[in-house]
Amino acid sequence: MDKEQYDILVDRIISNDMTMVTKERFDTIYRHYNAVSRLSGDIIECGIWRGGVSIFLAKLFNDKNVWMCDSFEGFQPLDYASYEYYGHEAHTPRFVLPGQTPGSPERFYEEVIQNLASFELYPDDRIKILKGWVKDTLSTNTFTAK
């Protein structure tokens, strides 16, 4: 993908509010394209929101499978998660927690499907969507060696 195609793709993803990721973060991935493309294996994004970064990754690395993992229900309750917070900069997401969201997990899932289709990535055998909480959907048995 040349720089002009890259700029058009990223601008379209950002301007259509498909991501919370900044242009600078996309730039980092783009700069490291050669190194990443030499690695074997698939690409995974956990917590895809509206699918913008996964769309970008699928377009940039068009020879790799892209796994898109999300609950499609917002954030899980904190007592359900097991993690440590080290004071990283926090931001307020542009959607609300379950129970406050106007819609259902199916609506969010369908929005991602529509976004993929708008970039001619649905249906696409390279795109793998795992619906559910990461702790429940990812395990040592989720992926098989090639």
Side-chain angles (χ1 to χ4, degrees):
M1 174 182 305
D2 67 29
K3 180 71 166 119
E4 182 179 351
Q5 292 169 316
Y6 161 78
D7 286 332
I8 291 168
L9 175 62
V10 172
D11 289 344
R12 182 175 167 202
I13 290 168
I14 291 172
S15 68
N16 284 295
D17 205 25
M18 294 180 190
T19 186
M20 289 185 257
V21 173
T22 64
K23 175 88 164 52
E24 292 76 20
R25 301 290 187 229
F26 284 104
D27 291 346
T28 299
I29 297 167
Y30 186 71
R31 275 194 317 271
H32 295 286
Y33 168 80
N34 289 328
V36 174
S37 66
R38 286 191 302 266
L39 298 173
S40 63
D42 297 344
I43 295 175
I44 186 168
E45 181 185 13
C46 298
I48 63 166
W49 192 45
R50 294 184 171 163
V53 172
S54 292
I55 289 167
F56 171 73
L57 293 167
K59 288 292 194 178
L60 185 62
F61 300 101
N62 59 13
D63 60 337
K64 294 184 178 285
N65 291 324
V66 175
W67 292 80
M68 302 171 70
C69 306
D70 203 291
S71 68
F72 299 97
E73 296 182 42
F75 292 108
Q76 64 192 10
L78 291 180
D79 59 350
Y80 189 70
S82 177
Y83 66 94
E84 302 247 349
Y85 179 72
Y86 296 104
H88 295 66
E89 182 179 325
H91 67 278
T92 303
R94 287 181 262 174
F95 66 96
V96 292
L97 296 173
Q100 301 170 320
T101 308
S104 65
E106 292 77 25
R107 181 182 73 89
F108 297 118
Y109 178 83
E110 287 304 317
E111 182 178 3
V112 168
I113 296 300
Q114 289 171 1
N115 290 340
L116 286 165
S118 74
F119 284 87
E120 299 176 356
L121 290 169
Y122 189 86
D124 185 321
D125 291 340
R126 295 181 312 115
I127 306 299
K128 317 292 185 186
I129 301 174
L130 292 177
K131 190 175 181 181
W133 302 113
V134 169
K135 77 169 207 68
D136 298 330
T137 58
L138 294 183
S139 71
T140 56
N141 299 320
T142 302
F143 306 101
T144 57
K146 294 181 182 178

